[in-house]
Amino acid sequence: MHDAPPPDPAPDAAASDLRLFHTAPHACGYWPEREARDLVLDPHDPRLAHVYTQALGWGFRRSGDIVYRPHCAHCRACVAVRIPVEDFTPNRSQRRALARNADIESRVVPAERNDERLALYRRYLVSRHPAGGMDDHGAHEFDQFLIGSWNEGRLLELRLHGQLVGVAVTDLIEDALSAVYTFYDPDFVSRGLGTLAILRQITWAQRDRRRYLYLGYWIEGHRKMDYKRNFQPLEGFDGRQWRAMTAWAR
């Protein structure tokens, strides 16, 4: 990694001396023909848990213990997005998803690995990312990628008649929830469990009186990422401020 300038807007005094790094160029995980780089907060800084809320506000995201933001030389396709949950109203498709899955119970549990969750995670990766470098993940990768060591995380479990069919890994921060990763049973793909997980996370955030649900990155035109525009209202981070996506000018 290489030292990088601070993100904009500048951090407050408590985080003004945070070190940031540029990663070396690597293959883009979304557009294989493109080259990507990330801006990464110093993973050894003991203040990461303290500044994590700010970092999300700067458009960063957590993966394991790494807090990063895409910072590519010739591409700005990745846009950090969040839902202001008090203003959210499900559309017709989302209302159908809720009705279709009324028999699925959800509960919030500690962010811990067990055999049941690991087995579901591995089934999901084999189905969703065959030969993609993640389909051989085991217990170590589960803990390293999803749980982390310094964040305050929870798991939103989705269960159908007692059977675990989905898990939404979720971080709790000062005034928001952050959707880190969701995996589900590939046998139930027709139920739209990814959409259901977001809808249940929105309800959770509303119940706890949190302002936002962070959804990671939206990429216009990408079949696996463009669905996030279906959750309205939606705000996007343009590098300096959060703006309503309805006014987004690319």
Side-chain angles (χ1 to χ4, degrees):
M1 295 185 185
H2 308 285
D3 287 318
D8 191 11
D12 65 18
S16 60
D17 59 344
L18 273 174
R19 297 183 67 195
L20 296 103
F21 304 93
H22 275 137
T23 65
H26 56 87
C28 176
Y30 303 110
W31 305 109
E33 70 279 6
R34 301 184 189 180
E35 187 176 79
R37 296 183 73 185
D38 297 314
L39 193 62
V40 179
L41 297 183
D42 183 353
H44 302 295
D45 195 304
R47 297 168 295 172
L48 274 182
H50 174 69
V51 302
Y52 184 35
T53 296
Q54 277 186 287
L56 286 171
W58 302 329
F60 282 74
R61 182 159 176 76
R62 181 183 72 84
S63 177
D65 286 341
I66 302 299
V67 180
Y68 74 97
R69 186 173 83 185
H71 195 75
C72 306
H74 305 293
C75 179
R76 294 293 182 268
C78 295
V79 177
V81 292
R82 68 187 185 186
I83 301 168
V85 298
E86 284 304 316
D87 298 325
F88 174 77
T89 300
N91 61 27
R92 181 182 301 176
S93 175
Q94 291 158 354
R95 291 195 298 271
R96 287 199 299 264
L98 288 169
R100 184 169 60 248
N101 292 295
D103 54 347
I104 291 183
E105 297 180 349
S106 59
R107 65 174 186 173
V108 176
V109 299
E112 299 171 350
R113 168 179 46 84
N114 61 21
D115 292 344
E116 184 183 34
R117 295 168 193 151
L118 177 59
L120 180 62
Y121 176 62
R122 296 189 62 168
R123 286 191 63 214
Y124 174 82
L125 292 181
V126 169
S127 172
R128 186 83 169 183
H129 301 288
M134 294 178 67
D135 52 340
D136 61 348
H137 277 199
H140 174 73
E141 288 81 8
F142 185 102
D143 293 346
Q144 185 179 55
F145 174 47
L146 300 178
I147 305 303
S149 64
W150 51 260
N151 56 291
E152 184 179 359
R154 301 289 188 274
L155 303 180
L156 176 69
E157 289 191 336
L158 303 176
R159 289 185 177 271
L160 179 62
H161 308 307
Q163 177 186 349
L164 183 67
V165 296
V167 176
V169 183
T170 311
D171 281 347
L172 283 63
I173 61 169
E174 186 174 309
D175 64 345
L177 300 178
S178 179
V180 176
Y181 195 77
T182 297
F183 56 96
Y184 51 81
D185 191 326
D187 290 344
F188 294 89
V189 65
S190 63
R191 279 183 171 260
L193 295 180
T195 293
L196 179 66
I198 293 175
L199 293 170
R200 297 280 175 90
Q201 286 172 312
I202 291 171
T203 299
W204 174 9
Q206 292 170 335
R207 184 182 65 237
D208 286 2
R209 297 186 178 181
R210 298 176 188 269
R211 295 180 64 190
Y212 303 108
L213 172 64
Y214 286 87
L215 290 182
Y217 299 112
W218 165 74
I219 302 176
E220 184 176 14
H222 194 287
R223 64 182 182 86
K224 291 185 178 181
M225 305 295 283
D226 204 28
Y227 72 91
K228 297 176 184 182
R229 279 294 295 266
N230 295 328
F231 295 87
Q232 293 291 337
L234 190 69
E235 297 179 354
F237 186 68
D238 66 3
R240 288 183 173 273
Q241 62 182 333
W242 291 89
R243 293 190 292 149
M245 294 295 285
T246 52
W248 196 254
R250 299 298 307 277

